[in-house]
Amino acid sequence: MIKRRYTMKRGIIINVVLMVLILVFAIISMNSGKMNLSPLEVLNVLIGNGTDKQNLIVFDFRLPRIVLSILVGLGMGAAGVVMQSLLRNDMASPGTLGISSGSGLFVLFFVVFFASTGKSSFIALPLLAFVGGLLAAGLIFLLSYRRGRDISPIGLILTGVALGSGYGALTTFLTLKLDDSQMNFMLYWLAGSLWGDDWGYISILTPWVLILLGYIFYKARILNALHLGNQTAQGLGVSVKRQFLALSIAAVALSSGSVAVGGSFFFVGLIAPHMARKLVGPDHKLLIPAASLAGGLVVVLADTITRTVSLVGDVPTGIVITVISVPYFLYLLAKSK
C-alpha cells in the first residue's frame, strides 16, 4: 500500500514536470524564430500592450502554431496508449495498424475533389480524416476476426501493414491528379508540417481532443483491466467487446482528427507511450496523461527546433520528430529482451 502510494505520488510529480516543460518550451518557442521578440515584448503582447507588428507575430503566427503542436501531441500520445493497451503490443500505433494510411487517403480525397482551404475545411477535413481512419480500422478488424476466437494482436498488425500498402498504392495513383500546389500540400502533410495553424481549425480541434481525452482518462480503470487480458477483464466484470469497440473508436477519432490539421505525426503515437511507460509505469491513471504530455512536449520541442535552428529550406516538424525520436526508440529496442 505504501509502495503504491509512493508510485502514485511520483507519477503525479512527473506529470506536473511534463506540464511545466511544455509551458517552458512554449515560452521559448514564442520568443524564437526569424522575427525575434524578447520575453518582455511577448509579455506586453499577452497583456494587451504590444504593437501591431508584435500582435501579428504572436497571435497570428506563433501562438496558434504552438497550441496546434500541443493538441496534436496530446491526441497522438493518448491514441497510442489506447492501441498498445488494447492489443497488448508495444509496436501498435495508428501508423503500424494502417489507420494513418486510411486517414491520409481521405485527406487526399478532400484535396483532390474539394478546396484544401476555406471555412468548409474547418469541419470537413477532420471529419473526413476520421471517416478514413474508422473505415481503415473497421476493415482491419473485419479481416482479422475469426468466430469463436479472440482477435490476435499480431494478426491485426500484419493485416494493418498489408492494407496500409494498398492504401499507399491508391494514394500514389491519386497524386497523379494533383497540380503543383496540391502536390506541395500533400507532401508537407505527409511529412508532418503543422499546416493547420489557424484559429478556425484550432477551435474545432480543441474540443475534439479534450473531450476524447477526458473519455479515455475516464476509462483508465477499464484499460488497466483489458491490458491484463480478455479473460481476466471478463472476470473483473468488464464487457470486453463493448469497451474494446468504444475505446478503439475513441483512439481512431483522436488520432485522425489530430493529424487532419497537423499532418502525419503517427510516429508520436508510437514513441510517446514508451517514454511515458518508462517514467510512470503501466497504471493508465498515470500513463494516459503522461503519454499525452510527452507527445505534446515532443511536438513543441521539434517545432521550436525547426523555427530556431538554421536548417536547409523549410523542414517540416515531423521530420525533426523522427530525427530526435529514432535514437531513443532504437535504445528501447536494444534494451528490450
Side-chain angles (χ1 to χ4, degrees):
M1 186 69 176
I2 295 176
K3 183 178 179 181
R4 177 178 173 79
R5 196 179 300 125
Y6 170 78
T7 303
M8 181 65 69
K9 182 179 179 180
R10 178 177 177 272
I12 293 173
I13 292 174
I14 289 174
N15 277 294
V16 171
V17 170
L18 289 172
M19 291 178 63
V20 172
L21 288 174
I22 289 178
L23 179 60
V24 169
F25 279 108
I27 294 173
I28 294 173
S29 182
M30 210 175 299
N31 289 281
S32 304
K34 296 180 180 179
M35 297 174 287
N36 289 326
L37 294 177
S38 68
L40 182 60
E41 288 174 328
V42 172
L43 179 61
N44 285 331
V45 171
L46 295 178
I47 63 177
N49 294 328
T51 65
D52 291 340
K53 180 180 179 181
Q54 291 170 347
N55 290 334
L56 180 68
I57 293 172
V58 172
F59 290 120
D60 288 2
F61 294 123
R62 292 187 183 166
L63 192 57
R65 189 178 179 93
I66 292 168
V67 173
L68 177 63
S69 63
I70 294 173
L71 289 173
V72 169
L74 292 175
M76 294 309 304
V81 165
V82 173
M83 292 183 179
Q84 290 179 11
S85 297
L86 291 179
L87 299 180
R88 300 185 296 281
N89 191 309
D90 291 344
M91 293 302 296
S93 74
T96 55
L97 287 175
I99 296 170
S100 60
S101 301
S103 295
L105 180 60
F106 273 65
V107 169
L108 181 58
F109 282 154
F110 182 84
V111 174
V112 172
F113 298 108
F114 305 95
S116 60
T117 58
K119 292 184 178 179
S120 62
S121 65
F122 291 160
I123 297 177
L125 192 55
L127 287 179
L128 279 174
F130 168 57
V131 171
L134 190 62
L135 287 176
L139 188 58
I140 292 167
F141 284 111
L142 182 64
L143 293 175
S144 303
Y145 177 75
R146 297 292 183 273
R147 179 174 293 182
R149 299 181 184 179
D150 291 335
I151 295 177
S152 168
I154 299 297
L156 280 174
I157 292 177
L158 292 176
T159 304
V161 170
L163 288 176
S165 299
Y167 298 141
L170 185 56
T171 298
T172 302
F173 172 76
L174 286 176
T175 54
L176 300 176
K177 297 180 176 291
L178 301 180
D179 57 31
D180 290 341
S181 62
Q182 291 173 328
M183 176 66 79
N184 186 63
F185 172 82
M186 279 306 300
L187 289 176
Y188 271 83
W189 184 91
L190 290 170
S193 63
L194 288 172
W195 72 273
D197 53 349
D198 182 284
W199 288 116
Y201 288 110
I202 293 172
S203 66
I204 298 296
L205 184 61
T206 299
W208 183 296
V209 170
L210 295 182
I211 290 172
L212 289 169
L213 270 177
Y215 173 77
I216 290 173
F217 183 75
Y218 175 72
K219 294 292 185 178
R221 184 182 62 85
I222 302 296
L223 282 167
N224 282 336
L226 291 173
H227 190 63
L228 297 175
N230 292 345
Q231 292 184 345
T232 303
Q234 287 177 342
L236 294 172
V238 176
S239 177
V240 173
K241 291 184 178 179
R242 182 166 60 86
Q243 297 294 345
F244 189 98
L245 179 62
L247 285 165
S248 297
I249 292 174
V252 171
L254 198 53
S255 60
S256 299
S258 297
V259 301
V261 297
S264 185
F265 284 93
F266 287 95
F267 193 74
V268 178
L270 177 63
I271 198 68
H274 286 274
M275 297 171 63
R277 205 171 284 112
K278 286 286 185 180
L279 292 172
V280 301
D283 186 351
H284 286 80
K285 292 180 180 179
L286 298 172
L287 181 59
I288 292 170
S292 302
L293 293 170
L297 180 61
V298 168
V299 180
V300 170
L301 175 60
D303 186 56
T304 303
I305 292 174
T306 61
R307 294 192 297 104
T308 304
V309 180
S310 297
L311 299 171
V312 179
D314 185 14
V315 179
T317 305
I319 294 177
V320 178
I321 289 176
T322 303
V323 171
I324 64 178
S325 298
V326 164
Y328 179 73
F329 190 65
L330 293 175
Y331 165 75
L332 290 178
L333 291 176
K335 294 289 288 185
S336 64
K337 295 182 182 179

